[in-house]
């Protein structure tokens, strides 16, 4: 037996590495990236600012200025602070690590299908992931959720709000019911990655629910490349999560770029609102095609159902267009594809090719 087999966990060895294929030259409509870049005069000012960053120094690990700016500008509940992560992916990892006690089996729960990283990081932290099926219309199955909460007493319940990959926004009353049900057993993390496109947030519920945490990212907003997520909750909880955070997890270039972006919120807000308009146009165009079902979306992507998702996906690839085939992720997603909302030009290209891919 090689040392690798002896040393590396069997469940780690068993999985395939997450393969991100290179699709240079492809029309990328798979990753919910904002297709718009910064106006060129802003690029010049940003590079000027970045050129003065002290790359020889560690970041100041309290990140006080950036955190304060996020609290002021991103609508964090008054009196609440945030902790920062290298993307919200890292925050999910930290949340998992902090509750992964060794003396008993700890459960983490989420309605499914949802963002896969909740289950992945739960597994790597040694937690037991419990997925509770959504209803066929992708709403929360509250009786099933309440039963599962009573049975597993999860330490964490993740709610992607809006939900990836279904695109819908759970009913606020349902979310509040789950917060109450979780009050004595665990934390409810509302993952608001798509908040710029949703016009809805659970942030205002923070003061009423000491077990609520609200997580966001700048990725879908237009800064996926800088890797920055933030998480707000009551101070005592943030203090515990701070202990498991690598001290310099947000690098100085990200810190400077994020500070710059927050001083130019209007640019990002205009882009988000343009994308919301484009979402409506794309949705309408797709819904008018034969045998295409378009789900309502509060995010910067559309979940669509076609007759044969595998075939359409493959044909799109042959034509240089990359979408996400989620049809095998969960029974409720049979024959579903997830398409990122893009510029009118890219959407036009996509629509023309997509039409040709339907039989
Ligand atoms: C994209 C996405 C994230 C990941 O955000 P990063 O900050 O880029 O790590 C988190 N949650 C959901 C639901 C997402 O779709």
């Amino acid at each position: 037996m090689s040392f690798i087999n002896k040393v590396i966990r069997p469940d780690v060895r068993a999985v395939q590495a997450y393969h991100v294929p290179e699709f240079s030259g492809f029309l990328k409509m798979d990753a919910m990236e904002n297709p718009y870049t910064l106006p060129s005069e802003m690029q010049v000012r940003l590079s000027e600012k970045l050129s003065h960053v002290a790359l020889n120094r560690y970041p100041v690990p309290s990140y006080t200025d950036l955190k304060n700016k996020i609290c002021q500008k991103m609508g964090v509940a008054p009196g609440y602070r945030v902790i920062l992560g290298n993307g919200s992916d890292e925050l999910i990892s930290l949340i998992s690590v902090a509750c992964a006690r060794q003396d008993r089996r700890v459960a983490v729960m989420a309605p499914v299908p949802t963002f896969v990283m909740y289950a992945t990081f739960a597994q790597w932290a040694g937690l037991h992931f419990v997925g509770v099926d959504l209803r066929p219309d992708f709403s929360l199955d509250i009786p099933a959720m309440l039963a599962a909460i009573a049975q597993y007493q999860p330490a964490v319940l993740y709610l992607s709000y809006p939900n990836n990959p279904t695109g819908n926004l759970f009913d606020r009353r349902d979310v509040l019911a789950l917060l109450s049900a979780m009050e004595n057993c665990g934390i409810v993390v509302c993952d608001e990655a798509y908040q710029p496109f949703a016009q809805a947030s659970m942030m205002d519920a923070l003061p009423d629910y000491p077990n609520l945490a609200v997580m966001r990212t700048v990725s879908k907003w237009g800064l996926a490349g800088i890797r920055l997520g933030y998480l707000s909750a009551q101070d005592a909880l943030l203090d515990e999560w701070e202990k498991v955070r690598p001290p310099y997890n947000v690098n100085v270039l990200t810190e400077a770029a994020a500070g710059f972006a927050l001083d130019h919120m209007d640019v990002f807000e205009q882009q988000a609102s343009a994308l919301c308009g484009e979402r409506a146009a794309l949705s309408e165009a797709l819904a008018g095609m034969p045998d295409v079902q378009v789900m309502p979306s509060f995010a910067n992507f559309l979940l669509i159902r076609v007759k044969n998702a595998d075939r359409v996906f493959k044909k799109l690839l042959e034509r240089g267009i990359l979408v996400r085939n989620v049809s095998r992720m969960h029974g409720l997603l049979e024959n579903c594809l997830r398409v990122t909302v893009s510029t009118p030009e890219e959407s036009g290209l996509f629509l023309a090719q997509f039409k040709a891919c339907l039989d």
Side-chain angles (χ1 to χ4, degrees), residues 32 86-90 92 115 118 160 162 164 191 193-194 215-220 224 227-229:
M32 282 81 86
N86 192 309
S88 43
D89 279 355
E90 187 188 45
I92 298 166
F115 190 50
Y118 309 142
S160 176
N164 175 9
D191 179 351
Y194 299 97
M215 182 169 70
R216 292 188 189 154
T217 172
V218 300
S219 293
K220 314 291 156 52
R227 314 303 303 129
L228 181 71

Side-chain angles (χ1 to χ4, degrees), residues 83 89-108 118 121-128 154-156 158 185-187 189 213 231 233 235-246:
I83 71 164
D89 279 355
E90 187 188 45
L91 293 168
I92 298 166
S93 174
L94 299 182
I95 292 166
S96 310
V97 166
C99 67
R101 50 193 300 162
Q102 311 267 296
D103 56 339
R104 61 177 165 79
R105 203 162 136 91
V106 178
V108 163
Y118 309 142
F121 285 123
Q123 182 185 355
W124 299 149
L127 299 161
H128 172 49
V156 180
Y158 291 100
C185 75
I187 300 156
V189 177
L231 176 64
D235 280 354
L237 203 42
L238 294 188
D239 290 342
E240 300 302 328
W241 281 328
E242 278 288 5
K243 297 175 193 171
V244 294
R245 180 182 64 83

Side-chain angles (χ1 to χ4, degrees), residues 173-190:
R173 285 161 303 182
D174 286 350
V175 175
L176 295 177
L178 295 176
L179 273 161
S180 298
M182 289 285 291
E183 210 140 44
N184 296 315
C185 75
I187 300 156
V188 177
V189 177
C190 281

Side-chain angles (χ1 to χ4, degrees), residues 245-260:
R245 180 182 64 83
Y248 308 117
N249 62 332
V250 175
N251 73 73
V252 289
L253 292 172
T254 294
E255 196 181 5
F260 178 85

Side-chain angles (χ1 to χ4, degrees), residues 185-212:
C185 75
I187 300 156
V188 177
V189 177
C190 281
D191 179 351
E192 299 189 347
Y194 299 97
Q195 186 267 336
F197 314 100
Q199 268 111 40
S201 172
M202 294 305 296
M203 196 63 97
D204 62 297
L206 277 176
D208 295 331
Y209 295 90
N211 62 334
L212 171 62

